[in-house]
Amino acid sequence: MSKGLIKFLVIVVSLACLYSLSFTFVTRKVEKDAAEYANGDMAKEKAYLDSIAGEVVYNIGIAKFTYREAKANELALGLDLKGGMNVTMEISLNELIANLAGNPKDANFNKALENAVNKSKTTNTSLIDLFMNEYKATGASTPIASFFATKDNAAVIKGTSSESDVRNFLNREADNAIQNSYKVLRTRIDKFGVASPNIQIQQGTNRILIELPGVNDEERVRKLLQGSAKLEFYETYQNPQVYSLLENVNRTLATTLKADKPAANVSSDSTVANTADTTKKEENLLAKLGANQKASDSAKTDSAAQPDVAALANNPLFAVLSPSTFNQGGQQQLAPGAVVGYANLKDTAKVNALLARPEVKSIIPGNLKLLWAVKPENNAKDFLSLYAIKTSGSENGPVMTGEVITDARDGFDQQNSPIVSMEMNADGARQWKRITAQAAQNRDHIAIVLDGVVYSAPGVNEEIPNGNSQISGNFTIEDTKDLANVLKAGRLPTTAKIVEEAIVGPSLGQVAIDSGVNSAVIGIIVVMAFMIAYYNRAGIAANIAVIFNVFFLMGVLASLNAVLTLPGIAGIVLTMGTAVDANVLIYERMREEEALGKSPRQIVADGYKHAMPSILDSQITTFLVGLILFFTGSGPIQGFATTLMIGIITSLFTAIFITRLIFEFMLSRDMKITTSFPWSNHTLKNANFQFIKKRKVAYIISAIAIVISFAAILTKGFSYGVDFQGGRTYTVRYDQSVSPEAVRENLDNIFGTTTEVKTFGNENQLRITTSYQIEETSDQADAEVLGKLNEGLTKIQGNKYEILSQQKVGPTIASDIRDRAIYAAVFSILAIAAYILIRFQKWQYSAGAAIATIHDGIILMGLFSILDGIVPFSLDIDQHFVAAILTVLGYSVNDTVVVFDRLREYLKKPNAHQEEIGTTINNAINSTLSRTVITSLTVIFVLAVLFVFGGEVIRGFSFAILIGIVVATYSSIFLAAPAIYDLSGGKHLAESAKEKERKQAKVVTP
């Protein structure tokens, strides 16, 4: 690749990373201003940020970004750094199955369902498959299809349908239920007002993962997320019918707010807004309303009327709610339809607060509700519509609920426009005929409302007699898919329960941030100091590459909207250690080329050329481990895997290209390139250790270590983390030092079960795990466990405490995590072995690598078992340990592959077969020994920093990798390559067919 192209790539990547990171700098500046303005008042700070959500805060000339858009592009912090709540919701498929069958009383059916639920707690088999198998096992004569052949399911299931048809039907409906629940939860979370929430379906399961950074009202979140979805249909008022009422509300507010100066704070939903804030900031916002309304005019189909800006102070409601009007002949007219106004997203909380005031509520009649649209309509990306809903009956409820809907589908009409088709049961069809006949007389609208939010309000053109309707409008394909899902939500009355939960307090998050930053900074300093001390000027080039590497890594994370977690920071710190691996390979090769008496330019060129195969092979194997971790882990583990994989890519880029540019610059100016000091020049240079001769000693040592490890695992076992065994874990901090034994004794007496209590960092901080009520994941069980915990903690007299974080994992989740951990380890070893087999084309290489990695994994697990309870920090077996052990396996193969590459290089020499294979293997190990030791040292230095300064949360994680690297270095030298010698019977490895073909092609016959 030409130098010009390399320079161009570096500049482009640097600018792209700077652009991605700039959003984080902008949002941090805005949030700093908000904190200074609020002066510790969280409600005021949030109101400030809400007020500028739609305002431009970042202008780069060719594009402008609002605070909301900048926030969406920032590098977000995970819960362990920011504090907040992480939950896993599980859709109750047993309820779904029972509901689809009409909740039959059949004993065999219900027994099969009960057995399936119990078995699902200890297996990964889907509940539907378990249920089908259990029902078959009952030997019942009633066909399974007969239970689901109801009127509502008549279109898809008959009494004669096969078991396969029933299974497919249930799987289809389960997918619909999960998608519907996701949609409902997404909307609820958006209404909650959490900054940068994350919600995703856990593919292949009936679970939904939710992260809510910054929330501090856990009870409200639980109620919000676990409530049943409520689909309702309402008649609506016409805008002209309601406008005079809104004018009256506006006049009333103008009078009362003037009399109330300064007005009291009004709470509404999750936002506290001061409706009569007399600060200059509020006056400026009011002064901008004219501009906001102009924006809404261009954004909406019906332009909004623009009141006189000078009179805005006298129009409190219309200052934040634009009436729905349109222009006709130069005159503003009230628009027809159910929409009575539009408000900027940032102002909806203010409108809610105004409408919730007592003097306003007394004006609005009981049969009128004002409800917001679920999202901006048409092109009005920053404006929500407000609908006038007509309630009916003595309870002021809907005219119809969603239970009557049997199916809903998205599709297209004859003009190929997106529509939604809706079908109802017989009862629903009768109601729908009456409702649509009445609405059609005045071309009224029917609002479709889910959880108090309007998803659509189509006009009714004619009476619909049979319950089969088509809903059309200015829809996108995505709109119709969402609306169809919403309509089906009424058909699938399943509940979503919290089966896993983690709560991190902001104080613990700040400690994690401080620990992570400290470890990162110290780690950089240690690596850079070592590289200069060992490699002289070449070390300076490597350090420049490390700085670029960190910059590129953070930039790529930001561009991917990745969430930075504490394990992610650990991944960054670890990347700094491994980032120099490629440089070490290059520099060690340059030393060898220098010893051959080559010119400086040739030394650089050949150093990069000959090191490249080892660099690629070693990094690809580690990348494979990161990929498996990403797909098998969740939450923080995915964050670590993401950082690890991106770090490998950026490390390769910086080590190969940036250091090469630096060397080319030095060569062009005749500057001397030095790769060592006199003291480091001969380190392990002429090493000639007899590894093959002494290999049996290493085998005996490893065998003893493995036997001891197995003995410890089988007798002592492990201390499992809550995510592997289920239960609840709490992090508690007392004001003063506290005895774990005293706390354990108190809690054991109260819970009636054995409680695990460990010191967590300082002597005043504890990690408490209990299996009490492990099978129960309800709110009542959570409250009961927390109450008993507090009862036990308060028995430590005169020592106040604070619960910093808590985590709940149901038994089903724990079983699933354990199984995925096992799969991850097995897949990693298989993937690495497969890659080495493909790359080296001989099974002995794969077997040697597999032996070394399995050896490392067993010994690391054995050490965790032996040292648990001896060392003064937690050695729980949990997801973090799985990430650590897989990282160690990846590093072990990284080291091993370098030796293999050198061995392959030696075996390709013309006279290779004249040398005894043991001598060749010995030479390969010795020639790479310097690289192996130096790379291991840099990683060990960094991990030692992470272990000491990284904080208690990842101390066990960093300890596992630290010990694992030492073991992996040993196995790559003493086991992997020597194993090839024994596996090949002490003979040269057989040539592959391709190698033979190449050699035969080179033979010239006379």
Side-chain angles (χ1 to χ4, degrees):
M1 190 179 291
S2 68
K3 286 189 289 185
L5 182 57
I6 293 174
K7 289 178 181 178
F8 175 75
L9 277 175
V10 171
I11 292 171
V12 169
V13 173
S14 298
L15 290 175
C17 290
L18 187 62
Y19 169 78
S20 297
L21 288 171
S22 65
F23 291 101
T24 304
F25 299 137
V26 169
T27 55
R28 295 293 185 270
K29 173 65 169 59
V30 172
E31 287 157 10
K32 182 181 177 182
D33 293 341
E36 291 175 355
Y37 166 77
N39 195 26
D41 186 338
M42 296 302 295
K44 195 174 182 182
E45 181 178 338
K46 189 177 186 308
Y48 178 100
L49 294 174
D50 285 344
S51 69
I52 64 168
E55 293 187 15
V56 174
V57 296
Y58 187 29
N59 186 349
I60 60 173
I62 59 174
K64 297 179 181 180
F65 300 93
T66 64
Y67 171 69
R68 186 185 302 111
E69 291 168 334
K71 191 72 178 171
N73 288 300
E74 73 170 356
L75 180 60
L77 298 179
L79 299 188
D80 51 0
L81 295 176
K82 188 174 183 179
M85 192 171 183
N86 179 315
V87 299
T88 299
M89 309 288 297
E90 188 171 76
I91 312 305
S92 298
L93 295 185
N94 56 316
E95 291 185 17
L96 172 68
I97 294 171
N99 287 329
L100 290 174
N103 295 297
K105 303 298 183 182
D106 184 85
N108 289 323
F109 181 97
N110 291 315
K111 185 63 177 176
L113 190 55
E114 181 184 348
N115 290 343
V117 170
N118 291 333
K119 287 189 175 181
S120 69
K121 297 176 181 178
T122 56
T123 178
N124 282 329
T125 306
S126 76
L127 184 70
I128 290 171
D129 288 339
L130 288 172
F131 165 70
M132 296 292 291
N133 295 338
E134 287 297 316
Y135 184 79
K136 191 173 184 179
T138 64
S141 58
T142 305
I144 188 71
S146 64
F147 294 105
F148 298 99
T150 64
K151 290 182 180 180
D152 292 345
N153 305 330
V156 286
I157 290 292
K158 310 294 183 186
T160 56
S161 296
S162 67
E163 287 186 14
S164 176
D165 291 337
V166 173
R167 192 186 302 267
N168 292 336
F169 165 70
L170 292 177
N171 282 322
R172 217 168 33 244
E173 294 299 323
D175 289 340
N176 287 336
I178 294 166
Q179 292 293 335
N180 296 341
S181 297
Y182 172 83
K183 182 68 180 177
V184 171
L185 292 171
R186 172 87 264 178
T187 304
R188 290 177 180 177
I189 290 167
D190 288 342
K191 285 174 64 181
F192 193 77
V194 177
S196 304
N198 176 39
I199 175 170
Q200 55 184 300
I201 296 173
Q202 190 175 353
Q203 296 300 325
T205 72
N206 57 320
R207 301 186 193 115
I208 299 173
L209 308 179
I210 302 169
E211 284 191 345
L212 304 173
V215 300
N216 51 19
D217 188 352
E218 297 86 12
E219 189 59 35
R220 179 166 175 257
V221 171
R222 293 187 189 105
K223 289 181 179 178
L224 180 79
L225 296 180
Q226 294 187 122
S228 298
K230 193 175 183 181
L231 177 64
E232 300 169 317
F233 293 84
Y234 286 92
E235 295 175 329
T236 63
Y237 288 100
Q238 290 284 342
N239 179 31
Q241 295 176 287
V242 180
Y243 180 73
S244 58
L245 173 67
L246 295 181
E247 281 190 313
N248 188 16
V249 169
N250 187 56
R251 285 192 299 269
T252 301
L253 286 169
T255 302
T256 56
L257 290 176
K258 284 180 181 178
D260 279 351
K261 286 186 179 181
N265 286 347
V266 179
S267 297
S268 177
D269 202 13
S270 63
T271 304
V272 178
N274 189 336
T275 57
D277 193 333
T278 56
T279 63
K280 289 183 179 180
K281 180 178 178 305
E282 185 69 16
E283 291 170 1
N284 290 338
L285 287 174
L286 292 175
K288 291 177 182 175
L289 178 68
N292 285 346
Q293 286 187 313
K294 288 177 182 177
S296 69
D297 285 348
S298 62
K300 299 190 292 286
T301 307
D302 299 325
S303 60
Q306 297 180 38
D308 186 348
V309 174
L312 290 179
N314 296 320
N315 291 278
L317 180 63
F318 291 150
V320 287
L321 181 71
S322 303
S324 177
T325 64
F326 70 102
N327 192 303
Q328 186 175 47
Q331 297 290 324
Q332 291 291 332
Q333 303 292 330
L334 291 173
V339 176
V340 297
Y342 302 91
N344 197 300
L345 285 168
K346 68 183 179 63
D347 292 328
T348 54
K350 293 182 180 179
V351 175
N352 290 339
L354 291 171
L355 296 177
R357 291 177 67 91
E359 67 271 26
V360 174
K361 292 173 72 174
S362 65
I363 298 173
I364 298 176
N367 63 346
L368 168 65
K369 283 185 180 180
L370 295 171
L371 300 180
W372 293 107
V374 65
K375 63 180 181 180
E377 299 172 18
N378 302 328
N379 297 319
K381 69 174 184 177
D382 286 328
F383 288 82
L384 280 184
S385 304
L386 186 66
Y387 287 84
I389 304 299
K390 183 187 296 184
T391 60
S392 63
S394 58
E395 297 183 359
N396 288 325
V399 291
M400 192 171 69
T401 57
E403 288 88 350
V404 299
I405 295 176
T406 58
D407 195 16
R409 301 179 302 278
D410 58 295
F412 298 90
D413 61 14
Q414 294 179 345
Q415 286 72 43
N416 208 33
S417 297
I419 61 167
V420 174
S421 300
M422 179 174 65
E423 298 174 9
M424 298 180 181
N425 59 25
D427 183 44
R430 285 192 297 272
Q431 295 181 60
W432 195 235
K433 177 180 179 180
R434 174 182 54 80
I435 294 166
T436 53
Q438 184 175 336
Q441 294 178 3
N442 301 314
R443 295 297 176 106
D444 283 339
H445 295 244
I446 301 293
I448 302 169
V449 179
L450 181 68
D451 281 351
V453 179
V454 179
Y455 278 76
S456 181
V460 180
N461 298 323
E462 59 185 359
E463 175 189 301
I464 302 173
N466 56 9
N468 296 332
S469 313
Q470 279 192 354
I471 304 173
S472 59
N474 191 17
F475 292 138
T476 64
I477 295 176
E478 192 64 31
D479 289 337
T480 54
K481 288 182 182 296
D482 288 346
L483 183 55
N485 280 336
V486 166
L487 291 170
K488 285 187 286 189
R491 165 104 201 293
L492 303 169
T494 59
T495 57
K497 298 177 181 178
I498 295 176
V499 292
E500 182 180 13
E501 175 182 290
I503 301 168
V504 180
S507 59
L508 191 60
Q510 187 58 51
V511 170
I513 291 175
D514 295 341
S515 301
V517 171
N518 290 340
S519 61
V521 172
I522 298 172
I524 288 178
I525 294 172
V526 169
V527 170
M528 294 176 74
F530 177 80
M531 290 301 290
I532 294 174
Y534 194 84
Y535 286 113
N536 205 332
R537 289 186 177 182
I540 297 174
N543 289 343
I544 295 172
V546 167
I547 293 171
F548 268 97
N549 184 34
V550 174
F551 171 63
F552 289 159
L553 174 56
M554 300 298 287
V556 174
L557 286 172
S559 68
L560 296 176
N561 294 123
V563 177
L564 189 62
T565 62
L566 190 56
I569 291 180
I572 294 172
V573 176
L574 186 60
T575 297
M576 294 175 208
T578 57
V580 300
D581 179 40
N583 290 121
V584 170
L585 283 167
I586 293 167
Y587 295 169
E588 291 297 320
R589 204 63 196 238
M590 286 171 62
R591 284 182 173 190
E592 293 179 27
E593 304 301 328
E594 185 179 7
L596 297 174
K598 295 183 178 181
S599 66
R601 186 169 293 279
Q602 196 64 41
I603 288 171
V604 172
D606 288 350
Y608 277 84
K609 176 184 175 183
H610 293 144
M612 195 59 63
S614 295
I615 291 172
L616 293 177
D617 285 334
S618 62
Q619 298 298 332
I620 288 173
T621 51
T622 308
F623 188 88
L624 286 173
V625 171
L627 200 63
I628 291 170
L629 260 180
F630 180 81
F631 285 108
T632 57
S634 61
I637 303 307
Q638 281 189 331
F640 171 76
T642 302
T643 305
L644 184 66
M645 290 188 293
I646 295 173
I648 288 170
I649 295 170
T650 56
S651 295
L652 286 172
F653 183 82
T654 54
I656 295 171
F657 295 132
I658 290 185
T659 54
R660 186 66 182 270
L661 283 177
I662 294 171
F663 288 148
E664 291 293 339
F665 173 82
M666 295 174 71
L667 288 170
S668 67
R669 285 161 176 74
D670 294 325
M671 297 171 66
K672 187 176 181 180
I673 298 175
T674 53
T675 56
S676 64
F677 285 100
W679 73 269
S680 62
N681 188 39
H682 299 288
T683 305
L684 299 174
K685 187 174 183 180
N686 298 311
N688 188 27
F689 298 104
Q690 298 301 311
F691 294 107
I692 298 300
K693 186 176 180 180
K694 303 293 185 183
R695 71 188 187 284
K696 292 183 180 179
V697 175
Y699 292 169
I700 292 170
I701 294 172
S702 292
I704 293 171
I706 289 174
V707 170
I708 294 173
S709 297
F710 269 122
I713 293 169
L714 295 174
T715 57
K716 185 180 178 182
F718 299 110
S719 174
Y720 288 105
V722 70
D723 48 359
F724 268 35
Q725 67 180 355
R728 293 170 175 84
T729 288
Y730 304 86
T731 303
V732 178
R733 180 192 294 157
Y734 279 91
D735 288 347
Q736 303 166 22
S737 298
V738 65
S739 167
E741 289 300 326
V743 174
R744 181 186 296 110
E745 184 179 342
N746 292 333
L747 292 174
D748 284 351
N749 292 334
I750 292 171
F751 283 127
T753 60
T754 301
T755 310
E756 183 182 275
V757 181
K758 296 180 179 180
T759 299
F760 190 68
N762 298 327
E763 292 184 355
N764 66 326
Q765 198 162 280
L766 303 174
R767 173 65 67 85
I768 301 170
T769 303
T770 177
S771 59
Y772 180 74
Q773 292 280 38
I774 186 175
E775 297 289 340
E776 296 295 328
T777 57
S778 64
D779 290 348
Q780 293 80 2
D782 292 340
E784 181 184 350
V785 176
L786 187 58
K788 288 182 177 293
L789 175 71
N790 283 313
E791 182 183 347
L793 296 177
T794 53
K795 288 184 178 293
I796 306 297
Q797 300 293 329
N799 198 353
K800 292 183 179 179
Y801 67 89
E802 175 188 5
I803 298 177
L804 299 177
S805 70
Q806 51 185 295
Q807 182 183 7
K808 175 180 71 176
V809 179
T812 307
I813 288 280
S815 172
D816 185 38
I817 292 174
R818 279 199 310 272
D819 291 345
R820 289 167 68 184
I822 295 170
Y823 295 150
V826 173
F827 289 155
S828 293
I829 294 173
L830 291 177
I832 290 169
Y835 174 79
I836 292 176
L837 181 62
I838 293 169
R839 190 74 175 88
F840 292 89
Q841 298 184 358
K842 294 179 177 67
W843 68 268
Q844 287 91 343
Y845 287 100
S846 290
I851 288 170
T853 52
I854 294 171
H855 163 273
D856 298 341
I858 292 171
I859 291 181
L860 184 55
M861 292 174 68
L863 283 171
F864 256 57
S865 177
I866 293 168
L867 297 176
D868 182 43
I870 298 175
V871 294
F873 49 87
S874 174
L875 290 183
D876 287 348
I877 302 295
D878 54 15
Q879 288 195 83
H880 291 96
F881 175 78
V882 174
I885 199 170
L886 291 184
T887 303
V888 168
L889 298 186
Y891 183 85
S892 176
V893 176
N894 181 312
D895 258 1
T896 301
V897 164
V898 173
V899 179
F900 286 179
D901 267 309
R902 186 60 65 94
L903 175 59
R904 178 175 56 181
E905 181 183 332
Y906 284 173
L907 289 174
K908 286 183 178 179
K909 291 181 178 180
N911 60 347
H913 285 69
Q914 297 175 11
E915 186 176 64
E916 199 267 327
I917 183 65
T919 303
T920 306
I921 294 175
N922 221 54
N923 291 338
I925 299 173
N926 278 296
S927 62
T928 58
L929 195 59
S930 177
R931 173 266 168 199
T932 300
V933 172
I934 297 305
T935 302
S936 296
L937 281 176
T938 58
V939 177
I940 287 170
F941 289 157
V942 168
L943 285 166
V945 169
L946 192 62
F947 175 73
V948 175
F949 298 101
E952 193 64 32
V953 175
I954 58 169
R955 184 149 290 146
F957 170 75
S958 54
F959 177 76
I961 301 181
L962 179 60
I963 298 300
I965 293 300
V966 175
V967 177
T969 303
Y970 161 83
S971 68
S972 65
I973 296 172
F974 292 97
L975 294 182
I980 293 179
Y981 177 84
D982 289 307
L983 291 171
S984 61
K987 299 178 181 179
H988 277 279
L989 300 176
E991 293 180 336
S992 67
K994 289 185 178 180
E995 287 174 333
K996 288 181 179 178
E997 288 176 9
R998 282 197 296 268
K999 286 188 176 182
Q1000 289 172 0
K1002 292 180 180 178
V1003 175
V1004 180
T1005 56

